[in-house]
Amino acid sequence: MIFILFWPFYYWLTRHPRYYNILNKFRTVHSFTAAALSGIFFDFEFEKELDKQQTYIFCANHTSNLDIIIFCILAKGKYHFMGKEELMKNPLLGIFFRTIDIAVSRSSKISSFRAFKKAGDNLESGMSLIIFPEGRIDNVYPPVLQDFKSGPFRLAIEKNVPIVPVSITNVWKIMWDDGVKYGTRPGLVKVHVHEPILTSILALENDEVLKNEVYGIINSKLGF
């Protein structure tokens, strides 16, 4: 219902990149309102305050569709998501993944190359990237942190952008995946935002080391 109310604004604000900062403010209000009306609230714990003027790559575990709402509230200013190609056809998220956000086909190397090329250009323009390096919500319940893809870590080093690891600890208990199988319930979602990792001193060949470091940091707070 809230999406329908916001749709005219989304339609016009997705027409041109110069409106994206305003678009994200609408996404933040939309996300908080929809969650609050559902009885879902968020507790963000920061190891270090984030610089609102800094461009980041946010990396988090992925167990729920609520993860998108979490980052619409957490991220500030100019940001965009990278997600699976199927989201372009999603009745709610499609308008974003055809415009501000980036859709990628997991089975196509060409699609992946183009997606990360576009993400790199966006980072250079000061637009933070939100990505779930597992690549998908796995069908394991209770969830287990899956292996990470290397793309975001190579991109962080190449563009000299800090990575912010984020551990979303209990959202799967409130709504796992799309909520169809186990339902959805009110509750408090706990989100641990780790200290940003600087990438300026790393070479591209260190991407696996960085990937493993971020994996360990995120997993340390999950307690699955």
Side-chain angles (χ1 to χ4, degrees), residues 78-97:
K78 297 175 64 177
Y79 65 84
H80 66 304
F81 291 85
M82 182 181 289
K84 59 185 180 180
E85 188 178 45
E86 293 85 345
L87 291 173
M88 294 181 69
K89 299 178 181 179
N90 184 286
L92 299 183
L93 300 178
I95 191 172
F96 306 123
F97 277 93

Side-chain angles (χ1 to χ4, degrees), residues 57-115:
I57 294 179
F58 293 90
C59 289
N61 57 303
H62 194 23
T63 59
S64 172
N65 285 359
L66 287 175
D67 296 339
I68 295 174
I69 286 178
I70 289 169
F71 278 98
C72 284
I73 297 172
L74 171 61
K76 307 297 181 183
K78 297 175 64 177
Y79 65 84
H80 66 304
F81 291 85
M82 182 181 289
K84 59 185 180 180
E85 188 178 45
E86 293 85 345
L87 291 173
M88 294 181 69
K89 299 178 181 179
N90 184 286
L92 299 183
L93 300 178
I95 191 172
F96 306 123
F97 277 93
R98 292 190 296 269
T99 54
I100 183 174
D101 297 330
I102 300 174
V104 58
S105 171
R106 294 190 294 258
S107 61
S108 171
K109 291 183 178 180
I110 294 177
S111 174
S112 181
F113 173 81
R114 290 174 177 170

Side-chain angles (χ1 to χ4, degrees), residues 23-215:
L23 170 64
N24 281 336
K25 291 180 180 179
F26 272 85
R27 292 210 279 186
T28 298
V29 173
H30 179 180
S31 297
F32 179 82
T33 304
L37 290 175
S38 303
I40 298 172
F41 298 90
F42 305 96
D43 178 19
F44 293 96
E45 181 182 19
F46 292 85
E47 290 187 358
K48 183 177 181 179
E49 185 177 355
L50 300 181
D51 183 352
K52 294 180 181 180
Q53 305 303 317
Q54 174 67 53
T55 302
Y56 294 109
I57 294 179
F58 293 90
C59 289
N61 57 303
H62 194 23
T63 59
S64 172
N65 285 359
L66 287 175
D67 296 339
I68 295 174
I69 286 178
I70 289 169
F71 278 98
C72 284
I73 297 172
L74 171 61
K76 307 297 181 183
K78 297 175 64 177
Y79 65 84
H80 66 304
F81 291 85
M82 182 181 289
K84 59 185 180 180
E85 188 178 45
E86 293 85 345
L87 291 173
M88 294 181 69
K89 299 178 181 179
N90 184 286
L92 299 183
L93 300 178
I95 191 172
F96 306 123
F97 277 93
R98 292 190 296 269
T99 54
I100 183 174
D101 297 330
I102 300 174
V104 58
S105 171
R106 294 190 294 258
S107 61
S108 171
K109 291 183 178 180
I110 294 177
S111 174
S112 181
F113 173 81
R114 290 174 177 170
F116 278 99
K117 174 64 169 61
K118 183 177 180 181
D121 293 341
N122 288 344
L123 287 169
E124 289 182 352
S125 71
M127 198 173 186
S128 293
L129 174 65
I130 299 165
I131 189 168
F132 304 104
E134 293 170 277
R136 61 195 171 99
I137 297 176
D138 201 73
N139 58 6
V140 176
Y141 186 90
V144 175
L145 190 63
Q146 303 299 310
D147 291 338
F148 284 178
K149 310 296 183 184
S150 297
F153 308 100
R154 290 186 61 85
L155 185 63
I157 296 172
E158 180 183 341
K159 300 300 180 182
N160 189 20
V161 174
I163 283 187
V164 180
V166 179
S167 301
I168 307 173
T169 62
N170 68 331
V171 69
W172 60 276
K173 296 179 180 179
I174 292 171
M175 188 176 87
W176 178 69
D177 198 358
D178 57 8
V180 171
K181 188 170 183 179
Y182 294 106
T184 304
R185 58 190 58 83
L188 181 66
V189 176
K190 294 185 176 294
V191 183
H192 188 94
V193 183
H194 299 269
E195 182 175 349
I197 300 173
L198 302 180
T199 61
S200 56
I201 61 173
L202 300 178
L204 275 178
E205 54 266 27
N206 296 131
D207 63 317
E208 286 293 315
V209 175
L210 179 60
K211 179 180 76 172
N212 293 334
E213 180 183 0
V214 173
Y215 183 98

